[in-house]
C-alpha cells in the first residue's frame, strides 16, 4: 500500500507547487521507489480543455487523451512516468460523478452533502491505484483558504485520521517575501497560511519556503516554532535560474531525507544516493550553465504574453538545446502584428516555429512567418495548427489558390483543412458532428502514424511507425485536395495507419528543414531524452548564424 505525500500551497499562487511536487517525485524515484503523481484541481470546470491558455496556461494532453492541467507536463518531464486520466481530478469531475450517482438512485433516502459525499469521492480518487506504487504524490491545486479548496483539505484531514501520519506526509509550499527596506525575510504570510491549514485540521510536516535569498537559521527557527514543524523540516526553495536545477537544490537542502525520516524508512547509503541524484541532474546543469553557443529561434503565437501558455513547447525547445549542447533563446513574436512587422522581426532568427492554436485570430501573421521561412530557407517546424497553416500557405502562395483556408476560419473557399466526421481509433470508429458540444470532443491523445521511407520525418524519428499525442478538431482534406496539395510542393510524409489522415508533411526539395506535424511532439519531450523533432530542428537551426 502506498504512502502519500500531499503538497499544498500557501500565501499566493504561482509559487511552483507543480514543480515542487515533480521534484519530490523525481527524488523518490532516484531512491528506487515506484511513484504515482496525482493532481486535485479545485476549479469547477470538468477539465481545463475549455479554458483559455491566456489565463490558465497550456492544456497538457496525456497519452490516453485526457486534457489536463499543465502541471502534469512537469510531472512527466521530471519523473519520466506516464500519467493518465485517473490521476487528474477537478471539482467539476467530482460533482459530475456524484450528481450522476444521485440520478441513478445510488443515494436513495439521503440528502447529498459536501461531507461525506463529495469528500468520499475525493478520497476514492486519491486511493485509486495506490496499491501499485510505493508513493503517491498528490498536489492540491489553488491556495489554502480558497473557498474551492475546502473539500480537498477536509478529505486530507479525514485521510490522516484513517491512515495515520505513518502513511501520510504534508508538504506545504509557502513564500517568504524579502522586504528590502527592512532588509529581512518576513515569516508572517507563511505563519498565516499554516494557521489556515491548521484551522481545517491539517498540520504540515515540511515547510518548503520560496525565497529569493538563503533563509537564515534564526528565521528557520522562528518558522519552526510558530508553525509547529521541526527546524530540519523548514526547507529553503531558493529561486532558481532554471527549473532543472531544483531537484538537486532540494536534495542538498535535505527535502527527500526529511520525507525518508518521517516514514522511518531505514537509511540508505547516502553517499550513493547523492551521487545518483547528482549524476542524473548534473550533466543538465552543466549544459544550462555553460552552453557551447546560443541559437535564436522564433515562435509566432497568440499567447506570447503568458509563458505558461506554451510551457511544454518552451521546455521541448530547451531540451532540443540540451541535445545539441547549445542554449536556445526564444523570440516570442505576436502573431497579430502586421505581416511586414513579423518579417522584420524574423530577419535575425535561425529557426521558426508556428505552434498549435485555435480560431482565426492571428492566422495571417502565422502564414506570413511560414512564407518567410519557406522563401528564405529558414528551418521551420509547424505544430498542429502550424501544420494546417503550412498547407494553406503553400496552396495560396505556391499553387496560387488564394482562397485556400480551413473550415475553422470560414465556410467558404477551398477548404483544404476541414471537419472530419469520423476516424479509426482503438479498433473502432469515432464519430462526431460539427454542432456537438465543445468539451472533450476533439481528436485527443495517442495516435500512431506511418512515415514514408527516406522522408525527412523518417530521418528525424529513425523509425517507420511512431506515435504522438493529438488535440485538434480539423484535418487535412487530403482525398479531396490531393492534387492541389502536391502541386503546392507539399509532401505528405506521415499518415495514420489506415492511411486516411495526414499526420506529417514536409516540402519537396530545396529547403534545408521544413517539417510540420498534426500532433504535439512537445508533450513527449523529456530533459534527459529530448524529442528528436526538437533536437533535429535545433541542430539544423544551429547551422545558420543567429
Ligand atoms: N485549431 C486546430 C484544430 O482544432 C488546431 C488545433 C491545435 O493546434 N491544437 O484542428
Amino acid at each position: 500500500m502506498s504512502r502519500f505525500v500531499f503538497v499544498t500551497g500557501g500565501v499566493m499562487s504561482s509559487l511552483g507547487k507543480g514543480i515542487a511536487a515533480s521534484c519530490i517525485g523525481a527524488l523518490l524515484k532516484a531512491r528506487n521507489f515506484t511513484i504515482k503523481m496525482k493532481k486535485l484541481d479545485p476549479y469547477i470546470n470538468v477539465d481545463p480543455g475549455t479554458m483559455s491558455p491566456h489565463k490558465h496556461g497550456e492544456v497538457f494532453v496525456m497519452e490516453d487523451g485526457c486534457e489536463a492541467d499543465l502541471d502534469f507536463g512537469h510531472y512527466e518531464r521530471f519523473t519520466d512516468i506516464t500519467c493518465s486520466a485517473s490521476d487528474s481530478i477537478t471539482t467539476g469531475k467530482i460533482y459530475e460523478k456524484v450528481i450522476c450517482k444521485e440520478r441513478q438512485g445510488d443515494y436513495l433516502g439521503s440528502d447529498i452533502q459536501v461531507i461525506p459525499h463529495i469528500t468520499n469521492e475525493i478520497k476514492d480518487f486519491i486511493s485509486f491505484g495506490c496499491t501499485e506504487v510505493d508513493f503517491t504524490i498528490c498536489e492540491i491545486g489553488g491556495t489554502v483558504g480558497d473557498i474551492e479548496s475546502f473539500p480537498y483539505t477536509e478529505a486530507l484531514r479525514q485521510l490522516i485520521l484513517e491512515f495515520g501520519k505513518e502513511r501520510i506526509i504534508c508538504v506545504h509550499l509557502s513564500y517568504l517575501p524579502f522586504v528590502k527596506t527592512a532588509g529581512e525575510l518576513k515569516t508572517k504570510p507563511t505563519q498565516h497560511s499554516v494557521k489556515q491549514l491548521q484551522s481545517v485540521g491539517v498540520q504540515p510536516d515540511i515547510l518548503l519556503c520560496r525565497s529569493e535569498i538563503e533563509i537564515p537559521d534564526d528565521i528557520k527557527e522562528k518558522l519552526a516554532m510558530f508553525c509547529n514543524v521541526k527546524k530540519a523540516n523548514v526547507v529553503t526553495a531558493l529561486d532558481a535560474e532554471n527549473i532543472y536545477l531544483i531537484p538537486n537544490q532540494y536534495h542538498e537542502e535535505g527535502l527527500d531525507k526529511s520525507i525518508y525520516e518521517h516514514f522511518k524508512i531505514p537509511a540508505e547509503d547516502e553517499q550513493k544516493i547523492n551521487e545518483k541524484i547528482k549524476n542524473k541532474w548534473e550533466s543538465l546543469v552543466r549544459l544550462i550553465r555553460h552552453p557551447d553557443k546560443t541559437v535564436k529561434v522564433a515562435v509566432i503565437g497568440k499567447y506570447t504574453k503568458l509563458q505558461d501558455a506554451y510551457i511544454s513547447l518552451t521546455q521541448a525547445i530547451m531540451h532540443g538545446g540540451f541535445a545539441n549542447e547549445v542554449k536556445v533563446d526564444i523570440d516570442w513574436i505576436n502573431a497579430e502584428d502586421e505581416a511586414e512587422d513579423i518579417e522584420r522581426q524574423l530577419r535575425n532568427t535561425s529557426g521558426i516555429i508556428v505552434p498549435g492554436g485555435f480560431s482565426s485570430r492571428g492566422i495571417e501573421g502565422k502564414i506570413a512567418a511560414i512564407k518567410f521561412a519557406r522563401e528564405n530557407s529558414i528551418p521551420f517546424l509547424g505544430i498542429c495548427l502550424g501544420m494546417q497553416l503550412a498547407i494553406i500557405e503553400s496552396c495560396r502562395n505556391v499553387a496560387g489558390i488564394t482562397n485556400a483556408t480551413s473550415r475553422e476560419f470560414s465556410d467558404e473557399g477551398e477548404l483544404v483543412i476541414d471537419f472530419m466526421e469520423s476516424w479509426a481509433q482503438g479498433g473502432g470508429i469515432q464519430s462526431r458532428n460539427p454542432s456537438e458540444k465543445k468539451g472533450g470532443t476533439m481528436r485527443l491523445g495517442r495516435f500512431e502514424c506511418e512515415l514514408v521511407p527516406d522522408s525527412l520525418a523518417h530521418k528525424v524519428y529513425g523509425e517507420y511507425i511512431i506515435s504522438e499525442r493529438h488535440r485538434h478538431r480539423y484535418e487535412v482534406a487530403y482525398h479531396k485536395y490531393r492534387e492541389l496539395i502536391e502541386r503546392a510542393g507539399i509532401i505528405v510524409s506521415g499518415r495514420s495507419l489506415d492511411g486516411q489522415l495526414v499526420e506529417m508533411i514536409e516540402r519537396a526539395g530545396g529547403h534545408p528543414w521544413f517539417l510540420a506535424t498534426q500532433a504535439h511532439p512537445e508533450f513527449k519531450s523529456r530533459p534527459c531524452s529530448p524529442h528528436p523533432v526538437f533536437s533535429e530542428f535545433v541542430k539544423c537551426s544551429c547551422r545558420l548564424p543567429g
Side-chain angles (χ1 to χ4, degrees):
M1 186 66 141
S2 178
R3 296 175 173 105
F4 295 91
V5 180
F6 280 89
V7 180
T8 53
V11 180
M12 61 190 195
S13 59
S14 303
L15 291 180
K17 252 192 333 296
I19 290 177
S22 306
C23 292
I24 291 171
L27 293 174
L28 288 169
K29 242 193 119 189
R31 289 176 181 260
N32 292 333
F33 288 115
T34 54
I35 62 158
K36 235 183 204 312
M37 303 290 304
K38 293 196 179 194
K39 173 126 199 239
L40 305 99
D41 270 307
Y43 49 70
I44 296 163
N45 302 57
V46 170
D47 63 40
T50 54
M51 290 188 205
S52 161
H54 231 22
K55 297 198 183 107
H56 192 75
E58 152 193 294
V59 176
F60 186 76
V61 182
M62 297 183 187
E63 285 287 286
D64 61 11
C66 173
E67 295 175 276
D69 192 86
L70 60 83
D71 280 327
F72 279 95
H74 294 310
Y75 301 166
E76 292 201 352
R77 286 187 285 272
F78 276 91
T79 67
D80 265 330
I81 61 170
T82 303
C83 299
S84 64
S86 62
D87 300 323
S88 163
I89 202 81
T90 65
T91 298
K93 268 188 202 154
I94 297 270
Y95 272 79
E96 195 181 41
K97 212 164 158 197
V98 169
I99 290 168
C100 198
K101 281 189 181 170
E102 185 270 338
R103 293 289 84 184
Q104 276 170 13
D106 290 6
Y107 308 110
L108 278 187
S110 359
D111 52 333
I112 299 159
Q113 294 176 307
V114 172
I115 307 170
H117 300 97
I118 297 296
T119 47
N120 281 352
E121 284 300 333
I122 296 174
K123 288 194 291 180
D124 286 352
F125 161 74
I126 292 168
S127 313
F128 180 79
C130 70
T131 46
E132 300 156 19
V133 289
D134 300 320
F135 280 95
T136 305
I137 295 123
C138 287
E139 177 190 345
I140 300 183
T143 308
V144 292
D146 291 350
I147 192 161
E148 292 89 356
S149 308
F150 172 72
Y152 296 92
T153 41
E154 167 59 18
L156 169 56
R157 184 195 67 78
Q158 294 176 22
L159 279 177
I160 295 170
L161 198 65
E162 286 166 31
F163 294 162
K165 273 286 172 93
E166 49 294 354
R167 278 193 47 210
I168 295 183
I169 188 167
C170 300
V171 179
H172 186 60
L173 178 68
S174 185
Y175 177 56
L176 303 184
F178 179 72
V179 178
K180 281 201 188 82
T181 45
E184 59 179 9
L185 289 171
K186 291 295 182 189
T187 64
K188 197 69 93 191
T190 298
Q191 291 181 44
H192 279 298
S193 79
V194 170
K195 279 213 172 69
Q196 290 265 19
L197 257 186
Q198 288 166 339
S199 73
V200 292
V202 175
Q203 169 62 51
D205 304 291
I206 295 180
L207 282 185
L208 195 50
C209 302
R210 279 296 300 273
S211 165
E212 53 185 287
I213 59 164
E214 284 291 347
I215 305 177
D217 234 37
D218 58 325
I219 299 280
K220 283 194 174 180
E221 248 159 45
K222 189 170 170 186
L223 280 167
M225 194 178 65
F226 281 100
C227 301
N228 198 29
V229 297
K230 286 189 206 154
K231 185 180 159 215
N233 289 359
V234 179
V235 177
T236 312
L238 210 56
D239 292 355
E241 67 190 274
N242 185 295
I243 55 173
Y244 298 118
L245 298 168
I246 300 175
N248 233 351
Q249 234 182 46
Y250 283 1
H251 175 64
E252 280 169 4
E253 269 284 311
L255 175 62
D256 45 330
K257 198 155 167 263
S258 291
I259 297 176
Y260 227 53
E261 283 174 5
H262 173 93
F263 290 118
K264 302 197 170 52
I265 298 168
E268 278 189 51
D269 182 346
E270 280 304 307
Q271 186 68 27
K272 237 162 92 192
I273 297 288
N274 288 349
E275 270 164 35
K276 192 169 168 193
I277 292 171
K278 278 213 148 100
N279 285 347
K280 163 114 182 162
W281 301 101
E282 205 154 73
S283 55
L284 288 183
V285 173
R286 212 175 314 119
L287 287 179
I288 293 163
R289 292 211 164 120
H290 311 287
D292 275 0
K293 73 173 218 179
T294 300
V295 54
K296 197 155 98 178
V297 308
V299 176
I300 294 86
K302 247 184 350 183
Y303 320 113
T304 48
K305 292 231 159 58
L306 182 72
Q307 287 280 307
D308 275 357
Y310 296 110
I311 182 101
S312 290
L313 177 67
T314 314
Q315 294 300 310
I317 296 171
M318 190 197 295
H319 305 161
F322 294 164
N324 293 283
E325 310 202 347
V326 297
K327 179 165 182 286
V328 187
D329 270 350
I330 302 177
D331 241 351
W332 295 100
I333 295 181
N334 185 354
E336 291 178 89
D337 287 352
E338 292 299 322
E340 305 86 73
D341 238 16
I342 290 180
E343 285 175 17
R344 189 182 39 73
Q345 294 174 73
L346 289 175
R347 266 182 215 132
N348 289 322
T349 201
S350 301
I352 295 176
I353 297 179
V354 175
F358 291 84
S359 89
S360 59
R361 207 156 53 79
I363 59 156
E364 294 308 326
K366 293 178 187 179
I367 290 175
I370 297 168
K371 179 168 184 271
F372 189 84
R374 180 176 57 76
E375 290 179 342
N376 295 284
S377 297
I378 297 173
F380 169 75
L381 172 60
I383 296 174
C384 205
L385 180 67
M387 182 191 95
Q388 299 173 351
L389 295 178
I391 291 177
I392 293 171
E393 191 280 322
S394 284
C395 289
R396 286 188 189 175
N397 301 325
V398 179
I401 307 299
T402 49
N403 65 347
T405 188
S406 161
R407 174 81 64 188
E408 187 173 14
F409 320 133
S410 167
D411 283 328
E412 277 151 32
E414 299 299 340
L415 300 176
V416 289
I417 311 295
D418 206 348
F419 189 82
M420 188 78 57
E421 308 224 336
S422 61
W423 65 88
Q425 187 171 10
I429 298 290
Q430 279 274 341
S431 47
R432 59 188 169 175
N433 67 66
S435 56
E436 87 195 316
K437 57 186 187 198
K438 288 277 187 274
T441 54
M442 286 187 265
R443 181 150 83 96
L444 288 167
R446 176 186 201 271
F447 283 84
E448 287 187 322
C449 155
E450 187 170 353
L451 301 177
V452 171
D454 297 325
S455 59
L456 173 61
H458 176 223
K459 284 182 197 135
V460 165
Y461 279 91
E463 284 170 69
Y464 290 112
I465 306 287
I466 57 144
S467 88
E468 293 289 1
R469 300 182 192 176
H470 288 246
R471 182 174 184 253
H472 57 104
R473 208 174 296 281
Y474 302 91
E475 307 280 349
V476 181
Y478 192 55
H479 294 290
K480 187 165 175 202
Y481 287 103
R482 183 180 184 150
E483 185 275 328
L484 166 61
I485 290 170
E486 281 171 4
R487 187 153 47 88
I490 296 278
I491 297 173
V492 172
S493 51
R495 297 224 221 158
S496 56
L497 297 190
D498 64 359
Q500 296 302 306
L501 305 173
V502 171
E503 293 283 8
M504 295 196 80
I505 61 140
E506 47 202 76
R507 280 206 60 82
H511 197 284
W513 208 95
F514 191 104
L515 191 71
T517 164
Q518 185 63 83
H520 289 273
E522 69 272 26
F523 293 137
K524 285 176 68 174
S525 188
R526 308 278 179 264
C528 298
S529 48
H531 194 292
V533 162
F534 290 91
S535 323
E536 291 300 308
F537 169 74
V538 172
K539 187 195 253 175
C540 198
S541 303
C542 287
R543 295 196 195 119
L544 286 188

